[in-house]
Amino acid sequence: MTVRHFLTLLDFSPAELISVLDRADQLKQLQRDNALHESLKNKVLGMIFEKSSTRTRVSFEAGMSQLGGSAIFLSPRDTQLGRGEPIEDSARVLSGMLDAVMIRTFGHEIIQQFAKYSKVPVINALTDEFHPCQLLADMQTFREFRGSIQGKTVTWVGDGNNMCHSYINAARQFDFELNIAAPEGYAPDTELVQQNKQRVNLIPDPQRAVKGADLVVTDVWASMGQEGESDQRLSAFDGFQITPELMDHANSDALFMHCLPAHRGEEVSASMMDDSRAVVWEEAENRLHAQKALLEALLLN
Ligand code: CP
Ligand code: NVA
């Protein structure tokens, strides 16, 4: 049997993604009810973090333990990965001991290479190109507040980064329209946009881009690994901040999401973070429920 991985949203069919979200809602309710649910008893998840994390680490680690399993945090600083042991060797060895591996790294090809040699499911916990786990939580959150996202309009304002790329994949898998407002030189991957051109619209002016939006999303202007470009990016993204005033140009019941961490005063104003249209804390919590559902889908089926 071939092993299933979750490297991008395209690894699951639209129907499979919907059933992960359905399961995430059920697991959230079980958690609320304090019900013991040990579907992954004795299973062990390895978590390789080559970049920092708060939400991803805690949601995967807490999720595994709530499901009766456990997780091991692996940092390149303290493992042979950081001393140059080849990815394929690490994949063979770790997947002989673990039930699944979660990786946060730089180039997407690193995780693809790991998956190629892994005997167990590999989960993308963020690469420079994609962040699919965050999209599971975002989609679960939208459904909770507004029902199905199918046929709705989402507007991305900011950098054409890993989150933006995963929104492009989500537009395809969950069937919504995506407007992207990015400054010149910071647009998402041309090929990915081209492949999804029937539902992705590049509209550089944020005010025009949010018109008709049911959901407005942003992310930091300098991602992990781009710290050296921070000053240059600060000026390039001038005018791309999400504020309550910008949100007023979207639909009256539009929601605001941000994967966090947020930089108040840069991509989002402090007032927007406290605005009633912001659902960022619910979105963050749903990382836990959505990933527990993902782990069950990969490990039990
Ligand atoms: N949104 C997100 O992935 O957060 P962390 O970097 O804290 O994991
Ligand atoms: N685009 C951000 C997301 C952080 C969760 C980064 O890659 O740093």
Side-chain angles (χ1 to χ4, degrees):
M1 211 181 78
T2 52
V3 188
R4 293 218 52 195
H5 303 296
F6 187 67
L7 305 190
T8 75
L9 288 174
L10 305 187
D11 285 330
F12 278 37
S13 70
E16 285 172 331
L17 290 170
I18 295 291
S19 66
V20 168
L21 299 190
D22 291 342
R23 185 64 183 148
D25 290 343
Q26 290 168 359
L27 291 168
K28 185 169 186 171
Q29 193 53 51
L30 286 173
Q31 182 77 6
R32 294 274 188 273
D33 296 343
N34 251 323
L36 189 67
H37 174 70
E38 299 194 317
S39 56
L40 299 185
K41 199 161 173 57
N42 297 327
K43 302 278 187 199
V44 185
L45 172 74
M47 308 191 300
I48 300 172
F49 280 97
E50 298 205 87
K51 292 175 175 172
S52 305
S53 168
T54 297
R55 280 144 288 269
T56 305
R57 177 178 177 181
V58 174
S59 54
F60 270 112
E61 197 163 332
M64 278 306 289
S65 105
Q66 288 164 10
L67 294 173
S70 58
I72 303 174
F73 176 76
L74 298 160
S75 144
R77 243 200 320 271
D78 325 301
T79 59
Q80 301 293 0
L81 269 166
R83 296 182 61 248
E85 184 166 10
I87 304 289
E88 48 273 36
D89 294 3
S90 305
R92 288 181 179 111
V93 172
L94 291 173
S95 69
M97 302 176 182
L98 298 164
D99 298 287
V101 180
M102 181 239 80
I103 308 179
R104 169 168 286 195
T105 187
F106 293 88
H108 194 69
E109 67 289 348
I110 297 171
I111 204 167
Q112 286 172 325
Q113 179 79 346
F114 193 102
K116 191 170 158 196
Y117 290 92
S118 174
K119 297 185 276 283
V120 300
V122 175
I123 298 169
N124 179 358
L126 183 146
T127 60
D128 289 344
E129 284 80 16
F130 296 102
H131 193 7
C133 289
Q134 182 67 51
L135 264 290
L136 294 179
D138 288 21
M139 295 298 101
Q140 184 190 3
T141 309
F142 187 88
R143 266 178 26 152
E144 270 179 347
F145 282 88
R146 297 285 183 264
S148 172
I149 201 161
Q150 186 173 27
K152 302 277 189 193
T153 299
V154 177
T155 298
W156 175 269
V157 180
D159 192 17
N161 63 10
N162 44 10
M163 275 297 299
C164 180
H165 291 158
S166 281
Y167 260 95
I168 296 176
N169 280 344
R172 172 177 173 159
Q173 299 296 70
F174 292 94
D175 190 21
F176 57 80
E177 196 78 15
L178 179 65
N179 296 338
I180 299 172
E184 213 189 311
Y186 296 94
D189 181 71
T190 315
E191 206 176 310
L192 189 62
V193 171
Q194 187 59 23
Q195 284 161 3
N196 294 281
K197 61 175 189 288
Q198 65 282 23
R199 55 178 93 246
V200 174
N201 318 298
L202 300 183
I203 307 174
D205 174 24
Q207 243 184 58
R208 271 211 314 123
V210 300
K211 205 171 169 337
D214 302 291
L215 169 64
V216 177
V217 197
T218 192
D219 184 16
V220 292
W221 291 338
S223 285
M224 289 181 276
Q226 298 173 333
E227 290 79 3
E229 299 171 27
S230 291
D231 288 347
Q232 181 192 327
R233 283 172 171 266
L234 261 182
S235 46
F237 285 87
D238 189 29
F240 283 75
Q241 185 182 86
I242 313 272
T243 59
E245 295 70 37
L246 179 66
M247 283 295 287
D248 289 343
H249 294 272
N251 286 345
S252 57
D253 63 347
L255 297 173
F256 167 69
M257 290 190 201
H258 187 314
C259 65
L260 308 178
H263 293 191
R264 290 170 176 80
E266 293 184 18
E267 76 277 1
V268 61
S269 69
S271 54
M272 190 63 234
M273 290 295 285
D274 297 328
D275 192 280
S276 61
R277 291 166 287 191
V279 291
V280 295
W281 314 121
E282 292 83 355
E283 178 190 6
E285 184 196 314
N286 282 337
R287 293 292 304 277
L288 171 71
H289 311 299
Q291 286 157 204
K292 282 165 78 175
L294 173 68
L295 287 162
E296 280 195 351
L298 289 169
L299 289 173
L300 298 180
N301 295 334

